[in-house]
Amino acid sequence: EALAAIGPAHDVLVRRGEALRAAQMDQNTAAVCYWLGRYDEAFRLYDRAQRAFESAGAAAEDRAARAKGNKAMVLTLLGDFAAALALYGEVREVFARHGETLEVHRTDQYIADVHVSQGDYTRALRLYGDVFAALERDGQDADAAWVALNMVECYLRLNRNPEALDLAGEVAARFERSGSPTETAKARFFCGLAHARLGEYERALDLLGKAAVVFADTDLSGFVGIAALERATLYLVAEDWAAALVEADRARALFAERGLPVRQAQADLVRARALLGLDDVASATRVARAALATTRERELRWLEHEGHHVLARAALARGDLAGALAACEEAIVSIERAQSRLAVELRGNFLADKLEVYHDAIDCALRLDRPALAFAYLERGKSRALVDYLAGNPDVRVRARDAGDRDLLAELARLREEHNGLYERLYGYGLARRPEPGRVPDGAAPEESDATLRAAIRGREQRIARLLERLALRQAAGMDGLAARTVDARDVQATLDDDAALLEYYFHEGGGAVFVVTGRGLTVVPLATTPRALRQMLGRWQLNLDAAARLLARRQPLDRLADNARGVLGALYEALVRPAEGHLRGVARLVVVPHGPTHAVPFHALHDGERYLAETVEVATCPSSSLRRACAARPRRATGSALVVAFSDGGRLPAVLEEARAVAALFPGEHYAEAAATRAALATAAPRHGIVHLAAHGEARLDNPTFAHLRLADGQLSPADIFNLDLDGALVTLSACETGRAVVQGGDELIGLGRGFLYAGATTLLQSLWQVDDDSTARLMAHAYGRLRDGWRAGAALRDAQLTLLDERGPHPYRWAPFHLVGHDGAF
């Protein structure tokens, strides 16, 4: 309707000599064409407006800049990123000179949009964060909402789906309040994408369908195409190949009509996958190659790997294993190239939607009888964020480097204090009571129901997480480009003594394998168990642990649970260790590199029918072989002195103080207990000692591991604090409940307390896999540290303490086996 009225009006203005008004009408007309997906027409009108404004001289310089910036927006959609960035640079300079702060912020937002299109998410999120904060500070709510919506797309590309869903929901509510139905539909659309990536497909289809109706009603054909493309992707997940092809064809036609090469390439890759599902391998190959040509031409690093992976799957369909492996290698190289451009903070879940490429490469290598290559691919996909960080070892401790940082740190401190107070009012500490729904916690204001407090805590946690990310990205210069060389089997062999072996596990939905590395070589042993079966066994093990905790709380013996525990741990032994037993003869030390659900397996407590594994061999673990090598290569501090920090949480953990005194008596150093056991004391004293022993209440927060913590006298010691510690080369003991439990993200990245200490420089960690018995832990630690003082290896010291406790406290592993060793397991 707008376009129908514009033509005659423009003619009138031109006839009357109102050139600037006509140019402004061109700007407005171009905007309408842009939203309708008529991009060539939009660009022509923006260009005509720019020339008209430029002919008016300095008086219209800022208006010419706006037209030029709008041209850059069209160029971004058309995939001409270099030209778009050049135009934005010129535009920003004009707005800055004229003091038009809002336009400077908008231009920075559009520059960030280009970075997203290029797959440069570090630069994009850094800019988005600064622009969003500035717009909110200036009360520009609508502009801030648009920036947040663009951040959602970034989070989705990085597979940070829960964060994307939260932010998209907030943005939708903002647009809804401002009465912007089209913008609300776009935000709800992104909510649908997030639900889809979280596996909530019915909710996703509902939201995508409703958004598509709005897009169609307003003739936003570009978004209609995007909605069709996302529906096609969901059909791929459901293996409804015909429906996926129909939707992808529809999306591709809409994109082609509007000259959108990047979107066309995306649609072609979905089409190629659908064609593969329909066994049309030749067509799938042709379509994938066309898409791949576009990704290379436009330097779409974030999309290139998909084309190579489709070609790999096509080669597999033809029975060409060598061709499939070569295509997988191309895909993995492009993934690693894209990942190397990310700041370390953004790498945690990046591989989540790309793991099939690594699995296909491993399977191809194994079928071609190339086990060493399969092992290398497995390592290339494991714990890369942490491994790459340790390889580069940049100084990423968050410090106030300018006034902006100081303001952010002050806001962060305030939010954390509020969060700590809310958390304590809701849960308390120590035994972490859980109030009943609707009940007002003791000491809380009457209006503070559980639901109110939980909502307040969740809100603070969202704001804290965004602040931490913003601070990290502001200080992340030089952190992109970090990439460690992945170890191969020969590297692992070189680190193993004659009596040692390494078991590195690999699982896919249909089964798995264990790579056995000894001084004699590398062997691959197939495993019949599946991740689903392992999760079921671990679920039974958790039930046993929960029952043991309840019995101990009532001071009852664990004898009646011991047989069940041995049965579950025996089933895990049969699934994970028994198949490799023939390759472990003569082995006295075992290093385990878990994969997927096996990160929660207490390998040292597995039972072979006669004895626990710890009774036979010394067992240590590490998230990856590359990480183990990085820990072993770090210069280690002498363990001659220890820092001991202990907090009994108001007397709820009485044995903690006894444990701390016993450790402090064995090593000279510093001892902070109760009110003196603060985060500040830990940060100040940690650089002076080779051993850091922390004894306190711990909480894994598997619902949000960013907020896992130890409870100290002045509040929660969370990963944000731990990351800033100087622990270079130290042995760190986390003597608290569940300090070794973590969330396994894409690429086998473990997110939890232990990861923070490794980032901060720890070489070896002693951490717990379940809730610990206070008294047993004190006894175990005193014994293990006594052996360390006598010069024993860290792994041997822990094992000796565990076996002593096994004899003293009975066979149930709850009391003797909660702690395991991670990282360097040798002498200090």
Side-chain angles (χ1 to χ4, degrees):
E1 293 172 11
L3 287 179
I6 282 172
H10 185 274
D11 292 343
V12 170
L13 291 172
V14 171
R15 284 199 305 272
R16 296 297 181 92
E18 296 283 355
L20 294 183
R21 289 187 179 181
Q24 188 58 53
M25 184 167 286
D26 279 339
Q27 281 264 66
N28 297 339
T29 309
V32 175
C33 291
Y34 178 94
W35 286 115
L36 292 174
R38 294 157 61 166
Y39 301 112
D40 289 339
E41 190 174 350
F43 187 88
R44 179 181 60 79
L45 290 167
Y46 282 137
D47 185 63
R48 188 167 75 179
Q50 177 194 333
R51 286 186 275 107
F53 289 135
E54 286 175 342
S55 67
E61 184 183 29
D62 59 337
R63 297 165 79 179
R66 285 187 180 86
K68 191 182 293 187
N70 289 331
K71 285 169 58 179
M73 289 177 64
V74 177
L75 290 171
T76 301
L77 276 178
L78 297 177
D80 195 343
F81 305 127
L85 285 174
L87 284 178
Y88 280 137
E90 297 171 14
V91 168
R92 193 184 191 283
E93 190 275 329
V94 172
F95 290 143
R97 193 170 64 250
H98 282 258
E100 296 194 38
T101 306
L102 178 58
E103 294 300 335
V104 170
H105 293 329
R106 286 173 174 163
T107 304
D108 283 341
Q109 174 192 345
Y110 302 146
I111 291 171
D113 294 346
V114 180
H115 292 322
V116 172
S117 299
Q118 294 177 304
D120 193 346
Y121 307 119
T122 300
R123 287 186 182 182
L125 282 172
R126 187 186 298 146
L127 264 179
Y128 283 145
D130 288 344
V131 172
F132 180 79
L135 292 170
E136 286 231 302
R137 185 180 60 242
D138 295 342
Q140 301 291 338
D141 290 341
D143 285 282
W146 271 113
V147 176
L149 197 59
N150 292 341
M151 292 172 72
V152 169
E153 185 172 5
C154 245
Y155 288 151
L156 288 170
R157 296 267 190 97
L158 293 167
N159 297 309
R160 295 169 59 176
N161 302 315
E163 294 149 280
L165 182 58
D166 284 343
L167 190 54
E170 291 177 27
V171 173
R174 284 192 187 213
F175 283 136
E176 208 160 32
R177 285 195 301 270
S178 67
S180 306
T182 306
E183 284 68 29
T184 302
K186 292 170 187 172
R188 296 292 184 204
F189 175 79
F190 279 117
C191 286
L193 297 189
H195 280 296
R197 284 153 176 74
L198 290 167
E200 299 159 0
Y201 300 117
E202 286 189 18
R203 179 66 175 147
L205 281 169
D206 178 58
L207 285 169
L208 294 177
K210 289 177 179 176
V213 169
V214 177
F215 300 152
D217 287 346
T218 51
D219 205 18
L220 297 181
S221 54
F223 273 91
V224 171
I226 295 170
L229 184 59
E230 292 301 331
R231 284 197 300 273
T233 303
L234 291 178
Y235 285 131
L236 286 182
V237 173
E239 297 187 357
D240 188 343
W241 314 118
L245 185 59
V246 168
E247 291 288 353
D249 281 342
R250 180 183 177 214
R252 207 244 184 224
L254 286 165
F255 298 146
E257 183 182 337
R258 282 146 188 82
L260 299 176
V262 177
R263 293 293 187 187
Q264 287 180 64
Q266 287 181 280
D268 277 339
L269 289 170
V270 175
R271 291 174 65 224
R273 288 185 181 275
L275 289 165
L276 272 180
L278 293 168
D279 295 324
D280 189 350
V281 178
S283 296
T285 302
R286 174 179 50 78
V287 172
R289 283 177 176 158
L292 193 54
T294 300
T295 64
R296 286 170 171 165
E297 177 189 353
R298 306 285 175 172
E299 296 185 353
L300 304 173
R301 298 177 181 88
W302 57 275
L303 191 58
E304 184 179 338
H305 74 276
E306 292 190 25
H308 291 300
H309 192 207
V310 172
L311 293 179
R313 287 285 174 90
L316 279 173
R318 295 193 301 270
D320 180 6
L321 285 176
L325 185 59
C328 283
E329 170 65 19
E330 291 271 15
I332 290 171
V333 167
S334 68
I335 290 169
E336 292 172 344
R337 191 181 300 120
Q339 189 173 34
S340 71
R341 302 181 71 194
L342 297 176
V344 173
E345 287 84 4
L346 302 182
R347 298 186 188 187
N349 219 28
F350 180 70
L351 294 181
D353 62 343
K354 304 169 184 67
L355 291 177
E356 282 188 349
V357 179
Y358 291 87
H359 293 171
D360 285 350
I362 292 167
D363 292 343
C364 284
L366 290 176
R367 290 170 66 183
L368 290 167
D369 196 24
R370 300 179 65 183
L373 183 59
F375 181 88
Y377 279 125
L378 177 57
E379 276 294 303
R380 285 168 77 172
K382 283 177 64 69
S383 300
R384 296 312 306 171
L386 182 52
V387 170
D388 292 345
Y389 167 80
L390 294 181
N393 200 26
D395 181 7
V396 294
R397 295 177 176 89
V398 177
R399 298 187 177 94
R401 305 183 189 187
D402 56 33
D405 287 348
R406 283 191 291 274
D407 290 343
L408 291 176
L409 286 169
E411 185 179 357
L412 178 63
R414 178 183 61 78
L415 286 171
R416 291 192 64 193
E417 197 65 32
E418 291 176 5
H419 174 267
N420 192 66
L422 290 164
Y423 205 88
E424 189 162 6
R425 289 207 296 277
L426 178 61
Y427 295 120
Y429 285 94
L431 300 180
R433 63 184 174 84
R434 294 294 188 269
E436 299 172 4
R439 185 183 62 75
V440 178
D442 297 338
E447 67 274 11
E448 286 187 336
S449 67
D450 287 2
T452 301
L453 284 170
R454 286 194 183 95
I457 289 168
R458 178 176 170 79
R460 297 305 189 284
E461 289 181 353
Q462 289 174 341
R463 292 165 65 186
I464 288 169
R466 290 169 193 170
L467 262 182
L468 286 171
E469 176 180 276
R470 191 170 164 219
L471 275 164
L473 291 178
R474 281 171 62 91
Q475 302 185 17
M479 288 183 61
D480 49 352
L482 292 179
R485 184 180 74 83
T486 304
V487 303
D488 58 28
R490 289 171 299 179
D491 295 322
V492 175
Q493 283 180 266
T495 68
L496 295 174
D497 296 332
D498 292 340
D499 64 346
L502 179 139
L503 300 180
E504 181 152 346
Y505 288 89
Y506 160 63
F507 290 99
H508 51 79
E509 285 308 310
V514 57
F515 293 79
V516 184
V517 187
T518 66
R520 299 181 298 276
L522 168 68
T523 306
V524 183
V525 179
L527 298 176
T529 192
T530 64
R532 184 170 182 269
L534 287 169
R535 284 190 283 269
Q536 290 173 339
M537 285 185 268
L538 286 167
R540 292 197 292 273
W541 172 235
Q542 189 60 51
L543 288 174
N544 188 286
L545 290 173
D546 293 342
R550 289 192 296 270
L551 287 177
L552 281 180
R554 297 195 293 265
R555 300 186 181 281
Q556 295 178 4
L558 302 183
D559 298 349
R560 62 191 177 93
L561 289 175
D563 287 344
N564 177 268
R566 279 192 294 268
V568 177
L569 295 169
L572 285 165
Y573 185 94
E574 294 299 322
L576 298 171
V577 181
R578 184 78 73 188
E581 268 187 344
H583 305 282
L584 301 178
R585 294 187 180 92
V587 168
R589 291 168 47 211
L590 193 61
V591 178
V592 177
V593 179
H595 186 253
T598 58
H599 284 288
V601 172
F603 280 91
H604 57 291
L606 299 188
H607 200 273
D608 67 1
E610 297 181 6
R611 61 184 66 84
Y612 293 103
L613 190 57
E615 295 181 86
T616 305
V617 295
E618 176 188 321
V619 182
T621 64
C622 205
S624 76
S625 291
S626 300
L627 180 58
R628 179 174 179 267
R629 179 179 177 175
C631 287
R634 277 182 159 175
R636 284 179 289 283
R637 296 174 179 172
T639 53
S641 69
L643 168 64
V644 181
V645 179
F647 183 63
S648 72
D649 198 11
R652 295 181 180 90
L653 305 171
V656 155
L657 301 180
E658 175 192 339
E659 170 190 330
R661 284 191 291 269
V663 174
L666 290 167
F667 291 90
E670 298 175 74
H671 180 194
Y672 297 93
E674 299 300 72
T678 63
R679 292 172 292 182
L682 171 63
T684 301
R688 298 192 284 264
H689 303 283
I691 293 176
V692 176
H693 184 91
L694 302 175
H697 167 68
E699 193 167 342
R701 285 297 305 275
L702 297 185
D703 65 312
N704 192 349
T706 301
F707 292 90
H709 61 269
L710 298 177
R711 167 69 170 165
L712 296 183
D714 58 344
Q716 297 178 3
L717 178 76
S718 71
D721 305 294
I722 297 163
F723 200 68
N724 276 345
L725 297 176
D726 180 3
L727 298 171
D728 292 343
L731 180 153
V732 176
T733 296
L734 306 178
S735 182
C737 295
E738 302 182 334
T739 53
R741 295 190 72 187
V743 171
V744 183
Q745 290 189 344
D748 229 39
E749 294 282 353
L750 296 182
I751 310 299
L753 274 177
R755 174 187 175 92
F757 284 97
L758 290 171
Y759 265 106
T763 297
T764 302
L765 292 179
L766 289 182
Q767 55 186 21
S768 60
L769 288 168
W770 53 81
Q771 292 185 9
V772 298
D773 173 51
D774 200 19
D775 178 62
S776 298
T777 299
R779 174 74 178 121
L780 180 138
M781 292 300 170
H783 191 102
Y785 275 105
R787 295 307 190 198
L788 276 177
R789 183 195 57 183
D790 295 340
W792 286 40
R793 298 163 42 82
L798 177 62
R799 178 185 180 229
D800 191 65
Q802 289 172 333
L803 296 181
T804 300
L805 214 61
L806 171 61
D807 289 338
E808 293 177 357
R809 303 295 166 93
H812 196 292
Y814 188 92
R815 302 189 76 175
W816 66 265
F819 287 90
H820 71 149
L821 185 146
V822 176
H824 173 66
D825 57 330
F828 275 76

